[in-house]
Amino acid sequence: MAKSIPPKDDNEQVEASEKPTGALAAREYTLLVQRQDALEKPETRRVDELRVSCSPRTSVLGALKLDRTRAAGSTEQNGGSVAWEGDCFEGSCGGCSMLINGKVGLACAVPLAKAADKEQRVRLAPMRHFPLVRDLVVDRSRIKRMLGTVPLEGPRTPRSSVTHVTPSATRALELARLDQCHRCGACLEACPQYGVHSEFVGAVTLHEVHVRNLGPGARHQRTERLEAMMAPGGVNSCGKAQNCVEVCPVGLPLVDSIQSVARATTKHMLFGWLLK
């Protein structure tokens, strides 16, 4: 005769469903974080070990947030919580770009299970091609300044009102796909030509010029954009390493954008006089 089993009460069912098992069980991870109090204080540079217990699915940024919550307001060991940027946790703001095991990436998009080595350690450091502010925070204001050197006041997307040209559905979808750069700086960090002491504007600006040249109102200031990209630090400074496209978090075709701008500047150099 089959033995009847009394049903579990609601509390027991909830506890059983929430208990992590197998690959989801919490593990101990060690974050080896390169820290420095300020750019002008190189003597404070150090590597601190932060130990966190969390699910392997937790992102690197999530682990840093756990440490910040635990050490909020503390001035004890390790000098309090680690300074970092980014709060969207969905890869849309680009603020949490940093070096993860020596490779640039968005900390909110990299799970600990993927980043950790056999000893469950993850090495974190600030990007090197931008001035350091503190710990994992860098000053990316140069990106905005670089974009400011190029005439970009014209229409940028199909939603712009400063145009009488309506793009086709195919072109509108293409522009929407291309118009996703959130200025994280990953492409610039991976670029061997870009740096604090380099004039090269980088893939961010070149991609922006390409998007403007495709969008509605593309003729608006097109000549000024192309001539700005023909100046020192423009498209000819690109070494074609193609590192940018490999690290772009949103998968933008940056190499194609750079090549498009290069062709446009060459054409403008040869035939631009016909338009004057």
Side-chain angles (χ1 to χ4, degrees):
M1 181 181 295
K3 183 178 179 181
S4 62
I5 301 176
K8 297 180 179 180
D9 60 42
D10 293 339
N11 291 335
E12 289 179 347
Q13 291 179 3
V14 171
E15 290 177 0
S17 63
E18 291 182 349
K19 185 177 180 180
T21 59
L24 298 180
R27 301 179 186 176
E28 294 287 337
Y29 292 92
T30 300
L31 305 181
L32 302 176
V33 185
Q34 179 179 308
R35 304 186 63 181
Q36 187 170 322
D37 294 347
L39 178 63
E40 65 275 8
K41 297 180 180 180
E43 69 279 2
T44 64
R45 185 171 178 174
R46 63 203 184 274
V47 175
D48 285 346
E49 294 187 8
L50 309 179
R51 293 182 175 84
V52 295
S53 177
C54 52
S55 165
R57 289 185 177 180
T58 303
S59 67
V60 172
L61 190 65
L64 285 171
K65 186 175 182 179
L66 287 174
D67 176 73
R68 173 180 286 183
T69 302
R70 183 181 60 185
S74 172
T75 57
E76 300 177 323
Q77 186 179 4
N78 298 335
S81 59
V82 176
W84 46 269
E85 288 185 292
D87 284 316
C88 74
F89 285 86
E90 55 186 23
S92 60
C93 74
C96 64
S97 50
M98 62 183 68
L99 297 181
I100 304 173
N101 296 326
K103 184 177 180 180
V104 66
L106 296 183
C108 70
V110 179
L112 287 171
K114 182 178 180 180
D117 60 17
K118 294 181 179 179
E119 298 180 2
Q120 306 301 322
R121 299 179 303 180
V122 181
R123 300 180 182 275
L124 304 178
M127 292 191 291
R128 297 163 295 188
H129 288 180
F130 299 89
L132 178 70
V133 176
R134 180 190 169 195
D135 294 343
L136 301 175
V137 181
V138 296
D139 180 5
R140 280 173 287 194
S141 61
R142 186 186 177 193
I143 297 177
K144 185 176 181 180
R145 293 198 302 272
M146 288 291 187
L147 290 170
T149 63
V150 183
L152 298 172
E153 294 82 1
R156 180 182 182 193
T157 69
R159 297 184 299 275
S160 300
S161 60
V162 193
T163 179
H164 299 290
V165 179
T166 302
S168 66
T170 302
R171 176 55 61 88
L173 288 174
E174 181 183 3
L175 289 172
R177 180 178 67 90
L178 294 175
D179 191 24
Q180 296 182 38
C181 178
H182 41 50
R183 317 289 192 263
C184 69
C187 61
L188 304 178
E189 176 65 22
C191 178
Q193 272 72 48
Y194 185 86
V196 177
H197 304 292
S198 170
E199 291 183 325
F200 183 42
V201 296
V204 171
T205 303
L206 292 169
H207 177 73
E208 183 72 15
V209 170
H210 173 61
V211 173
R212 296 281 181 153
N213 288 347
L214 286 179
R219 294 183 179 181
H220 179 71
Q221 294 187 313
R222 177 184 174 88
T223 297
E224 291 83 350
R225 288 195 296 272
L226 293 180
E227 290 182 351
M229 292 300 94
M230 293 166 62
V235 67
N236 288 333
S237 296
C238 175
K240 301 178 177 61
Q242 301 189 19
N243 293 358
C244 53
V245 72
E246 294 180 5
V247 301
C248 179
V250 293
L252 293 174
L254 298 176
V255 173
D256 294 344
S257 298
I258 295 171
Q259 291 176 345
S260 174
V261 174
R263 289 192 297 269
T265 54
T266 299
K267 186 176 180 179
H268 179 74
M269 180 177 62
L270 294 175
F271 305 109
W273 59 274
L274 293 174
L275 302 176
K276 295 183 178 180

